[in-house]
Amino acid sequence: MSQAALWRMMEMFKIPDVDLLEQIYEGTTVRLATNDEESATITLNTGVAQGSITSPQLFNNFVNALLRMLTVTGQNEDISHGLQIGKNQKGDKQRDENGYQFNNIGFIDDISIFADTPEGIQKLLNVVQEFTACCGMQINVKKAYLLVIDNDRKRREQEPTPLLTINGETLQVMNLDDACRYLGYWGTGNGDMRATKEMVRQKIIAARDLTKCHPLTASNGIVHKQRYGSLPLLSGTH
């Protein structure tokens, strides 16, 4: 992420004291210690400061610009996935300034986009490509997947697989029975959650077995009892 793009984005959002943040970052340098020797001074012009309490908010402000671009594109191009938030769909239009339609959800740098047609998804992917190219961010296409949600197996098998691209690379398409994980939640294209439940069950079993083998478990080690204090209410063992 280009710092210059970040400052420009914050100015567009009318966030105060951008010049102060810019000056702080301009004076920041890094040196690497290798084999007990320090490297030359390195000045960074990308990313945010590691460990700073302001860094998460700065990055959120930056990514929110992309989410807004996706939302506006969806409103202008009538790209949605049929869901609504907050308003009754009857009598309302998607282009209303308080439009209920959304075509994206995001958490930090994990973003999902939605559309009811392959053409709509491709337009949104083009927005992401344009944004990342402008600000110097990179997309890991190997971790990007296309999940087609349709429970009609016969129709899925008859229709050609959508070929969607970003940065010249084709997105991987998940099979109808595959489970996709996003922020800890699993979803499928056919609505069948049996495979997902089995994944969760196996993880629970693995966690249980790991706990059984832990050296501090009573059956595997020595249980140490200790008496606390002299006040009756505080005395006891654990």
Side-chain angles (χ1 to χ4, degrees):
M1 177 187 68
S2 167
Q3 291 175 1
L6 172 61
W7 311 137
R8 176 57 179 159
M9 207 75 66
M10 293 176 65
E11 290 173 350
M12 292 175 60
F13 285 144
K14 300 187 183 303
I15 298 176
D17 300 326
V18 176
D19 55 338
L20 175 60
L21 287 169
E22 187 174 359
Q23 291 177 14
I24 292 175
Y25 271 76
E26 283 180 352
T28 303
T29 58
V30 175
R31 285 187 178 182
L32 303 179
T34 57
N35 298 326
D36 297 328
E37 295 182 2
E38 289 188 351
S39 68
T41 300
I42 302 174
T43 302
L44 301 178
N45 57 8
T46 60
V48 291
Q50 184 176 0
S52 172
I53 60 175
T54 63
S55 294
Q57 188 61 51
L58 290 176
F59 188 79
N60 283 341
N61 289 334
F62 190 77
V63 173
N64 279 342
L66 171 58
L67 301 183
R68 289 192 180 192
M69 289 176 62
L70 291 170
T71 300
V72 170
T73 301
Q75 291 173 342
N76 293 336
E77 302 286 343
D78 293 330
I79 301 172
S80 69
H81 59 327
L83 297 182
Q84 64 184 48
I85 295 179
K87 299 180 70 175
N88 186 353
Q89 193 169 6
K90 295 181 179 180
D92 291 328
K93 294 183 179 180
Q94 184 178 0
R95 299 191 183 197
D96 188 280
E97 61 180 358
N98 297 317
Y100 48 80
Q101 295 282 5
F102 68 97
N103 56 25
N104 63 83
I105 56 175
F107 182 78
I108 310 179
D109 60 348
D110 289 320
I111 298 175
S112 293
I113 57 179
F114 312 95
D116 54 1
T117 64
E119 295 77 14
I121 282 287
Q122 186 60 65
K123 288 181 180 180
L124 297 179
L125 287 173
N126 293 341
V127 171
V128 176
Q129 177 175 315
E130 179 183 354
F131 180 88
T132 53
C134 177
C135 67
M137 297 182 70
Q138 295 184 352
I139 301 173
N140 189 347
V141 181
K142 294 182 180 180
K143 292 185 177 181
Y145 297 90
L146 171 64
L147 177 63
V148 180
I149 301 176
D150 188 348
N151 195 32
D152 191 328
R153 182 180 295 274
K154 184 176 180 180
R155 179 170 55 196
R156 281 286 305 273
E157 292 175 350
Q158 292 177 346
E159 293 183 353
T161 301
L163 295 179
L164 304 180
T165 62
I166 186 167
N167 292 338
E169 298 186 55
T170 303
L171 294 186
Q172 304 177 61
V173 181
M174 302 188 68
N175 296 323
L176 183 61
D177 299 325
D178 290 344
C180 176
R181 184 179 183 183
Y182 178 71
L183 301 181
Y185 290 89
W186 296 86
T188 62
N190 59 4
D192 186 351
M193 301 300 292
R194 286 176 295 181
T196 298
K197 292 179 181 178
E198 180 61 22
M199 292 180 187
V200 175
R201 190 180 74 87
Q202 293 296 336
K203 288 182 178 293
I204 293 175
I205 292 175
R208 180 200 63 189
D209 294 342
L210 182 62
T211 303
K212 285 183 178 180
C213 299
H214 197 281
L216 297 182
T217 303
S219 59
N220 297 324
I222 300 175
V223 178
H224 177 66
K225 296 184 178 181
Q226 182 177 359
R227 187 170 297 278
Y228 290 89
S230 58
L231 296 177
L233 292 178
L234 297 179
S235 62
T237 60
H238 80 299

